[in-house]
Amino acid sequence: MKDNFIEKILQKTKINAVILASGRGSNARALFEYIASDDNLKSSHSWNLNGILSDNENAPVLQFAKENNIPSFYIPYSKDKNIPLSDRRKDHNHRLIEKIKSLNTEIDFVFCAGYMKVLTKDFLDFFHDKEDDVYRVINIHPSLLPSFPGVNGYRDAFNYGVKKSGVTVHFVDEKIDHGTIIDQAVFERMDDDDLNSFSARGLEKEHILYVDVIKKLQNNKYLIKNTENNRKYISYR
Ligand code: GRF
């Protein structure tokens, strides 16, 4: 009997991942730098990055992937307003699944790193672990969830006037910025901050936190527990 779904994955020596990203790609870079490092390569369960997928043809993250010989894929998302959003979303998610299937490797984890499109239940189901009822899809969000979900986490927290903010790595579920929290990191707002300096401080935390999470996953440091109100939370071994 395994403690959690991660142990099942760790029966293999290679853990296969893809990254979904829509833009700049600094989190994708942070993950890649770790995955390419000796630290990872010498681990008994090393991460393998099988590709970076983007809905944005001109995303700098695709350029970064090309420069670093990471397989990169532009997966179109129709902008045709005559087609209902739900259909366009469904079509895009279907294309994502087909591309991931075509990689001919079983993908263990999907890392969203600034991925600005909604993942559908069909997509998530493709990565569903039945025993733990978790989707093997992880996201990083620029606020201390559940505060400030949505596309402008830094801006919303800054404009609210928080004294401390943070970043969250979480499992993705059917609702936006809602799934089980894996870990969080906190940073302070300084008196002379503007939105740029505030966001930059947060972004540094993101890179450290996301890499820390994938290290802990590969070292089987997480246990999935249940709160009394039926949410899950992650504790450490
Ligand atoms: C990050 O702040 C991430 O938390 C948010 O979008 C931003 C993406 O930045 N979801 P990058 O593309 O990883 O540089």
Side-chain angles (χ1 to χ4, degrees):
M1 177 68 186
K2 306 266 171 275
D3 268 353
N4 62 41
F5 78 96
I6 302 161
E7 283 193 15
K8 272 184 274 172
I9 292 169
L10 295 180
Q11 288 176 318
K12 301 187 287 183
T13 52
K14 288 265 174 219
I15 325 168
N16 288 299
V18 295
I19 293 177
L20 306 186
S22 298
R24 177 178 57 189
S26 68
N27 279 289
R29 177 188 292 265
L31 294 175
F32 170 73
E33 281 173 1
Y34 172 64
I35 290 172
S37 74
D38 275 358
D39 235 17
N40 174 57
L41 297 173
K42 289 186 179 153
S43 157
S44 45
H45 306 285
S46 57
W47 287 102
N48 199 27
L49 180 55
N50 295 74
I52 298 184
L53 289 70
S54 184
D55 57 300
N56 173 4
E57 197 171 10
N58 302 313
V61 70
L62 288 181
Q63 187 59 35
F64 166 77
K66 286 192 189 97
E67 284 161 11
N68 289 280
N69 299 319
I70 305 163
S72 62
F73 308 100
Y74 161 54
I75 312 293
Y77 190 112
S78 169
K79 294 190 177 81
D80 185 348
K81 295 269 161 43
N82 295 319
I83 307 172
L85 178 62
S86 59
D87 290 352
R88 289 186 274 146
R89 192 173 274 165
K90 212 171 163 185
D91 173 67
H92 175 70
N93 277 263
H94 179 71
R95 287 170 194 251
L96 284 175
I97 296 173
E98 289 308 308
K99 179 51 75 183
I100 289 173
K101 278 188 188 159
S102 78
L103 298 175
N104 283 328
T105 314
E106 197 190 337
I107 298 301
D108 301 303
F109 278 96
V110 176
F111 299 131
C112 301
Y115 193 63
M116 305 312 280
K117 294 286 188 283
V118 172
L119 295 171
T120 60
K121 177 102 171 50
D122 281 350
F123 181 89
L124 295 175
D125 278 343
F126 195 69
F127 295 98
H128 189 224
D129 177 86
K130 288 199 184 70
E131 270 166 59
D132 280 316
D133 191 21
V134 163
Y135 301 112
R136 290 174 280 115
V137 181
I138 292 177
N139 182 41
I140 186 149
H141 181 77
S143 76
L144 285 176
L145 290 174
S147 292
F148 310 113
V151 291
N152 285 307
Y154 287 133
R155 191 198 65 190
D156 295 345
F158 184 78
N159 288 343
Y160 193 86
V162 297
K163 293 294 284 175
K164 291 185 170 60
S165 195
V167 300
T168 303
V169 175
H170 65 96
F171 286 109
V172 173
D173 70 5
E174 296 88 345
K175 297 185 194 159
I176 292 174
D177 300 330
H178 173 269
T180 301
I181 291 173
I182 303 175
D183 208 348
Q184 298 182 300
V186 175
F187 66 93
E188 304 233 355
R189 177 205 196 96
M190 303 296 178
D191 279 346
D192 58 356
D193 264 345
D194 58 15
L195 178 57
N196 278 339
S197 57
F198 179 83
S199 310
R201 194 168 312 111
L203 193 63
E204 275 178 36
K205 291 280 178 191
E206 289 190 40
H207 302 155
I208 297 168
L209 185 71
Y210 218 165
V211 169
D212 188 59
V213 165
I214 73 166
K215 280 187 190 173
K216 288 203 169 80
L217 281 169
Q218 83 184 136
N219 290 307
N220 198 17
K221 295 286 187 206
Y222 293 129
L223 285 171
I224 301 174
K225 299 200 167 169
N226 285 303
T227 63
E228 279 170 18
N229 64 355
N230 249 346
R231 267 192 72 90
K232 294 187 205 313
Y233 74 96
I234 300 290
S235 79
Y236 298 141
R237 278 177 209 281

